Amino acid sequence: MKRFQQADALKRLPEQFFAKLVGKVSAVAAQGHDVINLGQGNPDQPTPPHIVAALQEAAVNPQYHKYSPFRGYDFLKEAVAVYYKNEFGVEVDPKKEVAVLFGGKAGLVEVAQCFLNKGDTALVPDPGYPDYWSGVAMAEAEMSMMALKEENDFLVDYNEIDKETADRAKLMFLNYPNNPTAGVATPQFFKETVDFAKKHDILVVHDFAYGAIGFDGEKPVSYLQTHGAKEQGIEIYTLSKTYNMAGWRVGFAIGNESVIESINLLQDHFYVSLFPAVQEAAAKALLGAQDCVRELADMYEKRRNVFISGLQELGWDVKAPRGSFFCWLPVPEGHTSESFADYLLNEAHVVVAPGIGFGKEGEGYVRVGLLTDEERLKEAADRIRALNIF
Ligand SMILES: Cc1ncc(COP(=O)(O)O)c(C=O)c1O
């Protein structure tokens, strides 16, 4: 029985929980209901025009119709170094400490492939972005979950990780501002992270996908701002959220030289880097004026204010997120995250993502993405109010 039989690595891939949600939403929409979809994480705004214009201009350059250098153009990696210096005060060597990625997602899976063997252990946040599970599963490694608890502001409590597990772990994923909990890291937390990782010899992979989205005047902290961070790991940055470029697939791994070299080595066998015109536009995004980014964060903050105050007024005890574009809301008593998401979909035609889809510790919460305009968010809150359940 060998006809096109899938490799075991593919069979190990985790089930896509949210595919099921898409099916349920389509069924309700097919009945003709006006569905407000707050269940996904796809930015709703277009890429700023100056970045699109840069791509248009670059696309006609015949030089860019050829293969890129294998590891991306130097000008792009230099732009990343300038950006990190300007935004976070972090110095990186563009030649050795920056890898160009096809979006953050690719890097997160690649880094697991680069460093995990069968039976190895990776520390993974729970709840967390499900793509961390994929590379670990493909490598036939084990996940040891790190609970993100509300009483710790959704930061990992390293005292909760037993010594034996910590000593065994090779790699750790972190993500702040956090998807799905909207938790934000402090400099002190990253200091504890570096100390813990150093003590147990663990590679830190900090996913900084929401690095540009902080509220109330707070700018998210980069892991690389911590003393000793580069010796202990990398940060994965993406243009998807910062510049609404999710469809462009541009990301970077930044930090430890030997880790960057490993990612580049793996990629040498898969790709010949991004379309060079996309690389040029990405460099212009990073080097240009950053007003568009501040405006975007302000927009999400206004949406947050409208939505969260709407929910608080109707009696739902929810906290305002301080970063990312997600709200992490406790479900009312008597419901699971899935039963409550189904209830909101069927009775209010409002889609939210059940917390259980992000891991066991996500039970008891639903995630809302602030990815529609204020009016629709207000409408969603009004529809929930009309259910009279709080
Ligand atoms: C936490 C987190 N990490 C990474 C990504 C992937 O982003 P990219 O578009 O760069 O692959 C996302 C996208 O939703 C995300 O939420």
Side-chain angles (χ1 to χ4, degrees):
M1 227 290 278
K2 74 176 169 79
R3 190 173 166 74
F4 306 148
Q5 202 174 29
Q6 273 188 347
D8 292 344
L10 282 196
K11 291 195 197 131
R12 282 195 298 273
L13 285 173
E15 203 188 321
Q16 274 283 4
F17 179 88
F18 292 101
K20 195 163 84 180
L21 181 68
V22 173
K24 287 182 189 174
V25 174
S26 309
V28 174
Q31 289 163 15
H33 296 296
D34 169 28
V35 171
I36 303 180
N37 194 342
L38 309 177
Q40 291 172 336
N42 206 348
D44 60 310
Q45 295 295 301
T47 306
H50 70 280
I51 305 173
V52 177
L55 174 66
Q56 285 171 323
E57 213 175 291
V60 297
N61 179 351
Q63 180 62 28
Y64 287 168
H65 302 167
K66 302 180 176 180
Y67 287 120
S68 163
F70 265 73
R71 297 182 174 194
Y73 274 96
D74 285 346
F75 67 72
L76 178 55
K77 290 179 273 188
E78 282 156 14
V80 173
V82 170
Y83 180 80
Y84 257 68
K85 179 88 181 87
N86 289 346
E87 292 296 316
F88 308 113
V90 169
E91 306 256 6
V92 289
D93 178 341
K95 285 201 171 23
K96 298 182 181 152
E97 294 176 335
V98 178
V100 179
L101 306 172
F102 282 83
K105 186 176 158 81
L108 292 163
V109 176
E110 284 164 12
V111 76
Q113 291 179 316
C114 287
F115 292 99
L116 297 177
N117 289 315
K118 182 174 176 175
D120 285 344
T121 298
L123 296 170
V124 178
D126 177 8
Y129 179 60
D131 281 11
Y132 308 137
W133 314 340
S134 314
V136 179
M138 286 187 88
E140 223 174 326
E142 312 282 331
M143 294 199 287
S144 178
M145 307 315 270
M146 303 183 291
L148 307 187
K149 299 225 164 89
E150 186 155 358
E151 67 254 34
N152 301 326
D153 293 327
F154 301 108
L155 300 174
V156 175
D157 178 356
Y158 293 114
N159 297 318
E160 289 285 306
I161 302 173
D162 66 71
K163 183 176 175 313
E164 194 263 322
T165 306
D167 284 338
R168 210 176 53 234
K170 280 180 86 176
L171 185 153
M172 162 167 63
F173 288 109
L174 289 175
N175 162 227
Y176 295 101
N178 184 254
N179 176 10
T181 68
V184 295
T186 57
Q188 174 59 26
F189 171 74
F190 280 142
K191 185 179 173 310
E192 286 168 23
T193 300
V194 171
D195 291 346
F196 173 81
K198 218 179 221 168
K199 183 167 166 205
H200 299 284
D201 196 15
I202 298 170
L203 160 58
V204 177
V205 178
H206 179 239
D207 176 2
F208 204 29
Y210 299 92
I213 310 172
F215 302 143
D216 308 313
E218 269 185 71
K219 188 177 167 75
V221 189
S222 159
Y223 162 74
L224 295 175
Q225 284 171 302
T226 321
H227 181 70
K230 214 195 276 179
E231 284 71 53
Q232 213 49 56
I234 59 165
E235 187 152 82
I236 304 265
Y237 197 81
T238 167
L239 304 197
S240 292
K241 317 291 153 89
T242 306
Y243 305 104
N244 297 317
M245 288 171 66
W248 296 51
R249 313 310 303 135
V250 189
F252 308 99
I254 304 145
N256 188 276
E257 182 181 335
S258 74
V259 178
I260 297 302
E261 173 57 29
S262 299
I263 292 173
N264 275 329
L265 175 64
L266 180 76
Q267 294 199 137
D268 286 346
H269 293 266
F270 274 101
Y271 319 112
V272 192
S273 203
L274 316 181
F275 176 31
V278 166
Q279 295 188 46
E280 181 163 315
K284 287 197 169 150
L286 292 166
L287 297 176
Q290 300 298 307
D291 308 76
C292 57
V293 185
R294 277 182 287 275
E295 283 159 19
L296 188 68
D298 284 351
M299 183 194 76
Y300 289 132
E301 184 167 337
K302 287 199 191 108
R303 290 176 178 184
R304 174 203 70 169
N305 294 345
V306 164
F307 187 64
I308 291 291
S309 60
L311 297 187
Q312 286 170 341
E313 278 161 26
L314 68 83
W316 193 350
D317 186 15
V318 295
K319 290 204 185 82
R322 287 152 53 212
S324 82
F325 48 49
F326 297 114
C327 304
W328 187 236
L329 312 172
V331 305
E333 216 146 294
H335 271 292
T336 65
S337 64
E338 207 167 3
S339 76
F340 189 59
D342 286 345
Y343 175 74
L344 290 183
L345 172 63
N346 294 321
E347 303 300 323
H349 310 136
V350 172
V351 184
V352 298
I356 189 72
F358 302 96
K360 186 165 74 59
E361 296 288 336
E363 186 49 272
Y365 294 88
V366 291
R367 190 195 74 177
V368 158
L370 298 167
L371 299 168
T372 186
D373 62 33
E374 288 177 43
E375 204 175 310
R376 290 288 276 174
L377 287 166
K378 192 171 170 311
E379 161 83 16
D382 288 345
R383 289 189 196 178
I384 296 169
R385 182 196 307 267
L387 299 173
N388 260 323
I389 49 169
F390 291 99

